[in-house]
Amino acid sequence: MKYGIDMGHNAAPDTGAVGIKKEDDLTIAVGTRVISQLQALGHQVVNCTPKSASSVMDSLSKRCSTANANNVDLFVSIHFNSYNGRTSGSEVWYASNSGKKFAQPVLTEILKLGYVNRGIKEGNFYVLAHTDMPSILVECCFVDSADDMKRFDPDQMARAIVAGVTGGQTATTPPPAPSDPEIVKLQQALNRLQVYATPTGQPLAADGKLGPQTNQAKQRLKTIFAISPAETEASNRAMWEAITSITVDRVVLRPNHGYGPAVRYLQFRLSVPPTGLYSDATVSAVLAYQKAQGLAADGVVGPATWGKLVP
Ligand SMILES: [Zn+2]
């Protein structure tokens, strides 16, 4: 089947409603997903949204001309409502009986997502009246309704519309990219150690994929540990030994001893120059940290202090 998909507005001066979110953004969010999902199901799709328009009427007229010129089987115009901030729900408009046959199943699918039922409605909107084929106009929900905007998910909305216009087909979700449990373990360890891609970075997504962020964070951790950054077995083994000494063994660090990676990590966390030696500057920083955390301030980093640093 050949679908004409019209993402409402987005052609100034034809701009949509603005509430908690912008209708222009949401019609694109839903429309692009409807298009890709229909294509994934093997359907032909014509995007009827104009790139520009000289007036609102020109914008509407271009949408219809594109649908008519391409002889689509069904024209679907995607919109969002806006009213008084308290009104919510979904409705689907049609102008002919042939359109009505699609309006009800689309609304039924959308209502499964939990929106208030505002019914299917007959109305001679410009795009419904000037398209030569069955056509519907979907008012997905209200951009100025807190309830609707909380519930709204563009992917779910697109799936509902696609299911409605195809008679129950839903695009299959592509299988997730393989996730490597070893990488997940590394990502979780890096997050636990608060070593991110950049000094001010965010925790990593534990997705099991060795992307640039995870790689950067791993390199940072090796640098902190003063381990060769090379991707060799020896380097990685040394890194894991150091991680384990902190997160599992909770190795006890005492003043005036050198403990290598664990002390370097401690120095990184307490912003002490990374010497790897548990020297005076490190002792002072540990005492201050222990006091601030309400721990016994003895300058010895044992399970209690590690428990605060690396919960
Ligand atoms: Zn609209």
Side-chain angles (χ1 to χ4, degrees):
M1 193 144 148
K2 194 174 184 180
Y3 293 91
I5 302 300
D6 169 32
M7 301 179 242
H9 312 287
N10 286 291
D14 179 1
T15 53
V18 177
I20 296 166
K21 293 183 179 166
K22 284 185 180 170
E23 182 184 6
D24 282 37
D25 296 340
L26 301 194
T27 59
I28 294 277
V30 172
T32 50
R33 287 169 171 81
V34 167
I35 290 173
S36 58
Q37 289 178 22
L38 284 170
Q39 286 169 336
L41 290 167
H43 295 290
Q44 274 183 280
V45 183
V46 176
N47 183 352
C48 299
T49 318
K51 290 201 166 58
S52 65
S54 57
S55 65
V56 172
M57 199 45 72
D58 181 47
S59 165
L60 298 176
S61 150
K62 278 178 170 167
R63 296 164 203 263
C64 301
S65 314
T66 304
N68 293 339
N70 285 282
N71 227 346
V72 302
D73 300 308
L74 174 68
F75 176 82
V76 181
S77 187
I78 298 168
H79 284 259
F80 284 76
N81 245 324
S82 160
Y83 187 47
N84 59 4
R86 297 186 301 278
T87 308
S88 63
S90 310
E91 62 197 31
V92 181
W93 293 80
Y94 62 92
S96 67
N97 278 332
S98 59
K100 189 178 180 181
K101 285 185 190 135
F102 291 95
Q104 187 57 62
V106 167
L107 183 62
T108 301
E109 291 295 332
I110 293 174
L111 295 180
K112 287 181 187 170
L113 303 175
Y115 294 95
V116 169
N117 183 2
R118 295 175 55 81
I120 57 167
K121 300 176 176 183
E122 187 171 0
N124 256 347
F125 285 127
Y126 187 97
V127 294
L128 300 182
H130 292 83
T131 38
D132 302 337
M133 64 291 303
S135 57
I136 56 171
L137 187 150
V138 184
E139 293 279 12
C140 298
C141 60
F142 282 72
V143 289
D144 62 342
S145 154
D147 281 353
D148 280 1
M149 288 300 96
K150 204 171 132 196
R151 175 169 286 113
F152 173 69
D153 173 86
D155 202 59
Q156 286 185 343
M157 184 60 73
R159 276 169 202 283
I161 293 171
V162 168
V165 297
T166 58
Q169 288 186 299
T170 44
T172 46
T173 313
S179 168
D180 182 341
E182 283 303 307
I183 306 293
V184 173
K185 213 174 107 189
L186 172 65
Q187 289 165 330
Q188 287 168 342
L190 289 164
N191 286 342
R192 216 179 142 194
L193 293 168
Q194 300 177 34
V195 175
Y196 309 131
T198 60
T200 54
Q202 299 292 311
L204 301 161
D207 59 4
K209 284 168 236 163
L210 192 58
Q213 301 272 311
T214 303
N215 239 326
Q216 254 174 282
K218 184 183 179 185
Q219 295 304 313
R220 280 196 78 218
L221 182 62
K222 284 185 173 181
T223 306
I224 290 164
F225 285 155
I227 291 169
S228 154
E231 268 304 311
T232 62
E233 224 186 291
S235 160
N236 286 333
R237 196 183 320 117
M239 178 190 75
W240 277 110
E241 276 171 15
I243 291 173
T244 307
S245 73
I246 295 165
T247 59
V248 180
D249 303 337
R250 302 296 206 189
V251 59
V252 178
L253 306 178
R254 294 171 200 282
N256 295 310
H257 289 77
Y259 294 90
V263 170
R264 286 179 183 277
Y265 174 75
L266 179 69
Q267 290 169 329
F268 154 71
R269 287 296 304 277
L270 301 181
S271 304
V272 177
T275 59
L277 299 177
Y278 202 140
S279 53
D280 288 355
T282 313
V283 176
S284 308
V286 167
L287 288 170
Y289 179 80
Q290 289 174 325
K291 276 180 202 147
Q293 295 293 322
L295 297 162
D298 57 4
V300 177
V301 176
T305 305
W306 279 129
K308 290 281 185 190
L309 282 164
V310 184

